[in-house]
Amino acid sequence: MTVTNNSQAKAPVLSASNVQDQAEDLFTASSIWFQTHWLQIIIAVAAAAVVVAGLMFLRQMGNKLCNLRPGQAGWGTVFGRAIVKTGNFFIIMVAAKLVAGYANAPREVTTTISFLFTVSAVFQAAIWAREIILGAIEHRTHSENYSGEAIGSAMGIIRLLVTFALFAIALIVVLDNLGVNVTGLVAGLGVGGIAIGLAAQGIFADLFAALAILFDRPFRRGDAITYDSSSGTVEAIGLKSTRVRAATGEERIIANRKLLDKEILNNSQRAYRRGQFKLGVVRWTPVEKMERLPDILQEVIEKCGRTFVRAGFIGFGQSSYDFDVEFDSPTAAFGDFFDARHAIGLGIIRRLNAEGIELAYSTQASFTAAALGGLIGPYPEAPPYGENAAPVAEDPETVIELKPSADRSAVDQDTTP
């Protein structure tokens, strides 16, 4: 019994004969085109040569733009580097694309030129985008107090991530223009990216936090910052962590992600430092003296060369009448503020002693009932204000000339444990 197989084998999509036939068609069409349109072709080639020369001249200008400020990542240098990265193949295909229509090229030739132009343009755009993105990062981070920090160690990873992302997009665009179904490829890249992101989420979180610090600039290297109960001077902003030198000498290391989650006080960016004293005077201080107390405090502060802000009565203490005084030290340096606080505090004590104004302390007063009613006070009655009162002599010791402290650090040592 003979079994006849009626099914026929399918012809291969790409075979040697098909490639040979298509090559012969392209060669034949090109030959006929050269024979019939030789003058237009010569003019088109000349125009293309001019276009190529112009694009190469622009590339040379980009190279000169990079050499204007060597070592500096300015915007001119950024765009100059991008222009220098223009490839010769892209320049040739741009020229061919511009002049192909003038010479009445056959369909086979124009299709080939369009395909090669699309491939070169997409990948050239990816190269330009990579150079501009990386140049923008360098421009942002190579400013004052940033050179040689986290960006130096992070640049390799950033370059790899940017290059992979841009060229993956370029490949998908090219395949899509060729009619290839890229849905599966996009899905595969998405799943792979999610897997990598989940596996290294801690590293990427600190990396992006470092970039956020470098771009947003909440602080710089050399700034004195305070976070939580810690204070210190920023010594380095690394890829994963930031190193802070405390006023007590130790180096504190904190992850970038955790540092950005906290409230950060940048003491170096202060326009001034404000000091405050709370004074409690005894209950038997005459009202007239308490009325003069703000003026007295202002005189002391201004004699010490600092800015008086305000002073006045703020409340009733358990055994005192409470006053508050505020003053400003005009610099961010903690040393200047510390010296001013010391001088003003001693000056207030001297002046209060000279004025006969007593500062209160925790006491209990016992009153005795008088025989005819009423109470007998524990202290003698003070004479009326101004009666038999001698004028207060100017105390030269209250005039203190404050010199700038040698310690210019802005680290807030009052909060350093």
Side-chain angles (χ1 to χ4, degrees):
M1 183 176 178
T2 303
V3 178
T4 303
N5 187 5
N6 294 326
S7 62
Q8 297 180 354
K10 294 182 180 180
V13 176
L14 184 64
S15 62
S17 60
N18 289 337
V19 173
Q20 184 177 359
D21 292 340
Q22 293 181 13
E24 289 178 356
D25 292 341
L26 178 61
F27 179 77
T28 302
S30 300
S31 299
I32 297 174
W33 177 49
F34 277 111
Q35 293 173 5
T36 57
H37 298 83
W38 58 270
L39 181 59
Q40 291 90 337
I41 293 174
I42 293 175
I43 297 173
V45 170
V50 173
V51 173
V52 170
L55 293 176
M56 288 187 173
F57 175 75
L58 291 177
R59 188 168 63 181
Q60 290 296 325
M61 293 299 295
N63 194 14
K64 291 182 179 180
L65 194 61
C66 292
N67 295 328
L68 288 178
R69 294 181 178 180
Q72 296 185 10
W75 285 113
T77 305
V78 171
F79 288 106
R81 290 177 183 176
I83 296 173
V84 169
K85 290 295 182 178
T86 304
N88 293 329
F89 180 68
F90 172 73
I91 293 175
I92 294 173
M93 294 315 303
V94 168
K97 183 68 175 178
L98 291 176
V99 302
Y102 172 78
N104 294 323
R107 183 179 59 84
E108 293 85 356
V109 176
T110 56
T111 302
T112 303
I113 292 175
S114 297
F115 167 72
L116 296 178
F117 172 76
T118 300
V119 174
S120 63
V122 170
F123 283 100
Q124 184 63 57
I127 293 173
W128 283 339
R130 181 187 63 182
E131 294 301 321
I132 292 175
I133 292 174
L134 297 177
I137 296 175
E138 292 182 1
H139 169 73
R140 187 67 175 177
T141 55
H142 277 74
S143 59
E144 183 182 1
N145 296 331
Y146 276 106
S147 180
E149 292 192 17
I151 196 61
S153 57
M155 206 61 194
I157 297 178
I158 296 173
R159 181 179 294 273
L160 177 62
L161 294 176
V162 171
T163 301
F164 175 78
L166 291 176
F167 278 89
I169 295 173
L171 178 62
I172 292 174
V173 171
V174 169
L175 293 177
D176 185 62
N177 278 273
L178 294 177
V180 178
N181 187 4
V182 296
T183 304
L185 179 60
V186 172
L189 290 175
V191 173
I194 293 173
I196 295 174
L198 291 176
Q201 57 181 344
I203 297 176
F204 284 121
D206 288 324
L207 171 62
F208 288 122
L211 294 178
I213 293 173
L214 296 175
F215 276 88
D216 191 49
R217 299 183 181 182
F219 54 83
R220 303 182 181 186
R221 184 178 60 187
D223 282 356
I225 64 172
T226 300
Y227 59 93
D228 290 341
S229 59
S230 301
S231 296
T233 302
V234 178
E235 288 193 339
I237 303 173
L239 178 62
K240 183 175 176 56
S241 61
T242 296
R243 288 169 170 79
V244 180
R245 180 70 62 180
T248 49
E250 70 273 13
E251 184 181 58
R252 296 173 178 172
I253 303 173
I254 181 171
N256 294 324
R257 173 172 50 86
K258 294 182 178 180
L259 182 60
L260 288 185
D261 289 338
K262 303 178 183 298
E263 180 184 13
I264 302 172
L265 304 180
N266 193 330
N267 297 312
S268 296
Q269 299 301 319
R270 288 185 175 191
Y272 55 87
R273 280 181 177 267
R274 177 157 296 179
Q276 182 181 22
F277 287 124
K278 181 179 178 182
L279 307 175
V281 298
V282 294
R283 289 289 182 89
W284 52 87
T285 304
V287 177
E288 293 80 3
K289 288 190 176 183
M290 289 191 288
E291 288 178 345
R292 294 185 57 245
L293 187 55
D295 295 332
I296 294 173
L297 297 173
Q298 181 176 359
E299 292 175 7
V300 173
I301 293 172
E302 291 178 350
K303 286 180 180 179
C304 292
R306 294 300 180 260
T307 304
F308 172 79
V309 179
R310 65 180 62 88
F313 181 81
I314 59 173
F316 297 92
Q318 292 183 353
S319 58
S320 63
Y321 297 134
D322 294 336
F323 286 77
D324 180 81
V325 57
E326 298 179 8
F327 63 92
D328 289 341
S329 179
T331 65
F334 182 80
D336 291 345
F337 170 73
F338 186 89
D339 294 341
R341 183 175 59 184
H342 171 76
I344 291 173
L346 295 183
I348 291 174
I349 294 173
R350 292 192 184 99
R351 187 61 185 274
L352 294 182
N353 290 339
E355 294 283 349
I357 300 176
E358 300 180 36
L359 295 177
Y361 49 88
S362 298
T363 57
Q364 290 184 349
S366 299
F367 293 86
T368 306
L372 299 177
L375 298 176
I376 300 176
Y379 49 85
E381 294 185 2
Y385 177 73
E387 184 176 320
N388 300 325
V392 179
E394 183 70 24
D395 186 358
E397 294 184 357
T398 62
V399 181
I400 302 176
E401 182 181 358
L402 291 176
K403 298 181 180 179
S405 172
D407 181 11
R408 308 306 300 166
S409 173
V411 177
D412 195 353
Q413 299 178 30
D414 286 340
T415 61
T416 303

